[in-house]
Amino acid sequence: MEILLATFSALFSVINPFGAMPVFLTLTQGDSPDRRAQLARRACLYMVLILAVFFLAGQAVLDFFGLRIHDLRIAGGIMIMRAGFELLNSKPEENKKISKDVVEEGLEKEDISFTPLAMPLLSGPGSIAVVISLYTKSLSFLDMGLTILAIALMGLMTYVVLLFSPKLMVFMGKAGLAALSKIMGFIVLSLGVSFIITALIALFK
């Protein structure tokens, strides 16, 4: 249960499905509710698969390049801290998780479920760094299964948020999204600091 909650909370703070709502609605403007639901479902499925693969194969990639898990945690912590700063300092209309060029390209595509929805909107560098850093050789099969279950639950929650994003946007409004952005920014910033401190402590032991 501890692994499940820790993984879910870490991914939730980085993926931030509420922050993805404005971009999702922009990319799916003019689509029917059924089409929007289909795109959200496929994007979340792709997100779960991407994060699960990086969790299971991430250590092999690090070994191939001769990197240590602590190196990745420090680099990932810096990236996560940057994302937290951006959330804390962004304005509601600027709270976008992907660039304008990517959004414009997505508007011209027929199927946006893999790119740019699943990657980089939902499973971006920050969330990938988080799942790779969660893998250690001391994990049992049960621990690995619980981590993948947490990734799947995060995908399910993200799907629900995106599915009801039109109603949530009306309910929360710009003020609610701005407040939520600040809260998520603080949590993400704290998570990045935790990643770096944990890695530094392990390096100097």
Side-chain angles (χ1 to χ4, degrees):
M1 184 59 70
E2 197 171 308
I3 291 176
L4 191 69
L5 291 175
T7 304
F8 184 86
S9 59
L11 286 176
F12 180 81
S13 62
V14 178
I15 294 173
N16 187 10
F18 293 103
M21 289 193 305
V23 181
F24 175 72
L25 291 175
T26 300
L27 292 172
T28 57
Q29 60 183 347
D31 289 333
S32 65
D34 290 340
R35 174 64 176 168
R36 185 179 286 127
Q38 181 188 40
L39 289 172
R41 183 169 58 252
R42 291 171 64 179
C44 293
L45 179 60
Y46 286 140
M47 179 195 78
V48 170
L49 292 175
I50 290 169
L51 295 181
V53 168
F54 272 100
F55 169 68
L56 296 173
Q59 188 63 49
V61 174
L62 293 179
D63 292 340
F64 179 79
F65 287 103
L67 297 172
R68 295 168 298 179
I69 190 65
H70 308 306
D71 301 330
L72 181 77
R73 282 178 177 164
I74 293 174
I78 294 172
M79 292 176 61
I80 293 170
M81 284 180 64
R82 180 184 174 187
F85 275 121
E86 290 177 353
L87 284 172
L88 282 170
N89 297 316
S90 65
K91 297 178 182 178
E93 60 272 15
E94 296 176 348
N95 185 22
K96 294 182 179 179
K97 300 180 69 177
I98 53 179
S99 66
K100 291 182 179 179
D101 293 337
V102 176
V103 173
E104 291 174 0
E105 181 183 348
L107 290 171
E108 299 174 0
K109 294 178 64 175
E110 184 176 347
D111 188 356
I112 58 171
S113 56
F114 186 77
T115 58
L117 284 184
M119 181 182 284
L121 181 62
L122 299 177
S123 50
S127 56
I128 290 174
V130 168
V131 294
I132 293 178
S133 64
L134 289 172
Y135 182 87
T136 60
K137 294 179 180 179
S138 61
L139 289 177
S140 65
F141 286 110
L142 177 61
D143 296 335
M144 294 170 64
L146 288 172
T147 302
I148 293 176
L149 176 60
I151 294 173
L153 290 174
M154 186 67 241
L156 178 61
M157 180 180 179
T158 304
Y159 168 67
V160 172
V161 170
L162 294 182
L163 185 64
F164 293 99
S165 55
K167 295 180 180 179
L168 287 172
M169 285 291 290
V170 174
F171 176 75
M172 296 176 67
K174 287 186 177 181
L177 284 176
L180 185 62
S181 176
K182 304 297 181 186
I183 295 171
M184 293 305 301
F186 183 75
I187 295 174
V188 171
L189 183 61
S190 303
L191 182 66
V193 172
S194 174
F195 265 54
I196 294 174
I197 292 176
T198 302
L200 289 176
I201 291 174
L203 281 172
F204 289 104
K205 267 187 176 181

